[in-house]
Amino acid sequence: MYSVIHGGTDLELRKLSSEYLTSLPFDGHAIGGSLGRDRDDMINVVSFVTALLPPAQPRHLLGIADLESIDRAAPLGVDTFDSCYPTRMARHGNVLTRSEGKIQILRGKYSSDFGPIDDECRCFTCQNYSRAYINHLLKAKEPVGHTLLTIHNLQFMNDTMAKIRSDILAGHI
């Protein structure tokens, strides 16, 4: 069971919350509640709180898992993330790729692109379906199109986290 460190952007309240909750026998600690108005505020809070948490216990960032936030929070000691980011992106026709970043598969140029979403991806979607076919599914309002995008985006996020784990073990983070 994890504690949830609260206190908004008030660092003194975060400190009091951290001190009390780390004195209890939790398995790990989550950073939750309001994290500020923008990503810089969030990183400031996360940086402050992670320094107060026991290094041997896992640290979780509640509700945050976009790529930039992960890239900035992982080096601060955040171990796990949760968010609707990859599935929300898929519901809106957006996919994450290694070479092109975020792409909107509904754009006309993808209607004749018979390559996979991501050449480097090993997910079911990329191994079996083209950008053109998924573009067609979405334009035809076929729900399976969003399912295929979700499968890909979740694999992309899993691969991203595997890379971060590898970088941590190699001492790069």
Side-chain angles (χ1 to χ4, degrees), residues 153-172:
N153 281 352
L154 291 174
Q155 182 66 56
F156 181 91
M157 296 302 289
N158 284 335
D159 292 347
T160 297
M161 294 308 295
K163 171 82 167 84
I164 289 171
R165 279 190 299 277
S166 174
D167 288 348
I168 289 169
L169 293 172
H172 302 302

Side-chain angles (χ1 to χ4, degrees), residues 49-168:
V49 172
T50 54
L52 302 172
L53 299 177
Q57 290 182 309
R59 299 142 178 209
H60 181 79
L61 187 55
L62 284 167
I64 306 292
D66 61 279
L67 294 173
E68 184 178 345
S69 296
I70 290 172
D71 285 343
R72 292 180 66 186
L76 299 174
V78 175
D79 300 299
T80 57
F81 302 83
D82 74 275
S83 169
C84 63
Y85 176 74
T87 55
R88 182 186 329 122
M89 295 272 293
R91 283 192 311 272
H92 293 283
N94 294 304
V95 288
L96 303 164
T97 68
R98 289 154 185 80
S99 60
E100 299 172 70
K102 179 180 85 170
I103 63 170
Q104 175 129 48
I105 202 77
L106 276 167
R107 296 183 78 192
K109 68 181 183 176
Y110 299 115
S111 66
S112 59
D113 183 340
F114 294 96
I117 290 172
D118 188 331
D119 290 327
E120 298 174 45
C121 185
R122 66 186 196 283
C123 78
F124 176 81
T125 302
C126 289
Q127 297 301 309
N128 294 287
Y129 300 99
S130 70
R131 290 177 175 193
Y133 182 65
I134 296 170
N135 174 282
H136 159 74
L137 291 173
L138 295 178
K139 286 189 176 178
K141 307 240 185 273
E142 289 287 344
V144 73
H146 292 106
T147 301
L148 292 172
L149 295 182
T150 297
I151 290 167
H152 168 76
N153 281 352
L154 291 174
Q155 182 66 56
F156 181 91
M157 296 302 289
N158 284 335
D159 292 347
T160 297
M161 294 308 295
K163 171 82 167 84
I164 289 171
R165 279 190 299 277
S166 174
D167 288 348
I168 289 169

